[in-house]
Amino acid sequence: MLSTDFVNNYLDHHLGERQVNKIQHGFPSPRFWNELSVPLDEIGEDRRRLRETHGKSPVFLYVGVPYCIQTDPGKCGYCLFPVEEFQGNAALENYYGYVEREAEMYREQMEGSVLVGAYFGGGTSNLYRAPVYHRLMDMTRSLFPEIAEQADLTLEGIPQLFSREKMEAIRDSGFNRISMGVQQVNERLNSFSGRKQTTKHVIQSLEWARELGLAANVDLIFGWPQQTVDTMLEDLETLVSWDVYDITHYELNVGGPTDFALNRFHELPSTLANLEMYRAGRDFLLDRGYEQLSTYNFRRPGDPVTRDFREGYATRFDHLDTLGLGYAAITFFGNPSLPSGRSWSFINHRSLPQYKAAVDNGRFPVERGFRHTPDDFLLTVLFRSLISTEIDRINYRAAFGLDVYEKFATIWDALAERGYAKITPERITLVGDGPFYTPMISTLVAEERYRELREEAARRKKENRPAAPASGSGR
């Protein structure tokens, strides 16, 4: 366990740093995903064994798209996801044919599973033409004949690419939600991304969704170049006035060779200003009747068509199975009852030609992965609980046979002393500014394991280093 002095010094040092959202990959960071051979047959056998022991297994499905429309600056100025420039519908539909073939590879593994949710993202999933949405859902139902009644089936897109024809096809095919990456309602600030999105596009898409009975989530980013608390609150006020029930309000991730990192970094609000924006946005939404479901998700009760949409995944304590299909898609699979090393995180090829070549050769298109120990799997689940702002000690004890408070007591106590957490015998809850610092807290909880992984990486690098030539040796 980390010492109290280390924990407090860590917090003092990192509180002033920019937060980095880790929800996509959980634990550990993909830089430690070094297994080049992921045993899909073994994973499939474990899936079947768990179903035989515990009954039908819940699965969450993610389906990715590699393409985005071209923008200037590229990748909307800030995006860190792997994407390809859109080359037209022929290339998109050719790609989707590969996704269908990849799905077929998993058919036997998924027999007897129940689909509890699905997210179609990317990339930009509303690039497809209207008829393809029926194919998407036909593939989903073929792979998962049993879909939970309350399953959230979400298609992600950007406002200017929706049409009423597409929206109707999305609804008729079986989707029940759209999630729109609006990012900025303010057209001047939005223009920094190079998108051609207008306020009219956003309003029209929301009107179509409401008319057709689709739930609609809107994503907004705070910490944008030249953004102020006032411009942020104006955007939130606009969404509230449009009766948007679900709002995802998250901090800008800045990094890599993006335009915002290279050319607009000086225009970004400071870390302290971002904290002020988080507080102002949170308080604004809570005052208007929204509930904070997670670090980033806010929901106002009363939507007649809503489902439990939270960051695109279902939280479980006793089982985790998120199947990723398509370019750069990520799969998480684990269960506390599995032997050490039988829980996994892995990612599909982030090279489109390599992804296609693997499928053409009848191979699962996996690029690399990480084999989890039981403690690694505990951290994976704990990262997700932290995003939800609440850790149920009773459920963790039942699933893992330990008290998650006792395992990380110095961290929870330090957070409680600073007003970032509340500890009871039943649960640990992030309060006050605690949710804002979730990325930092997650990294601190994993600090001891990250030390081990860094040492392993350094040792592996040293072992693979070419030997130096012998002293005095000739040519």
Side-chain angles (χ1 to χ4, degrees), residues 396-440:
Y396 269 89
R397 188 177 291 110
F400 293 95
L402 57 82
D403 186 340
V404 75
Y405 164 75
E406 292 179 357
K407 186 171 179 64
F408 304 101
T410 53
I411 296 174
W412 308 132
D413 289 343
L415 294 173
E417 289 172 8
R418 294 169 186 248
Y420 298 149
K422 179 181 178 181
I423 304 168
T424 70
E426 294 77 27
R427 58 185 50 85
I428 302 164
T429 307
L430 298 184
V431 296
D433 294 336
F436 175 79
Y437 291 116
T438 297
M440 177 195 68

Side-chain angles (χ1 to χ4, degrees), residues 14-15 182 209 367 463:
H14 289 87
L15 282 170
V182 173
E367 179 182 312
E463 290 171 353

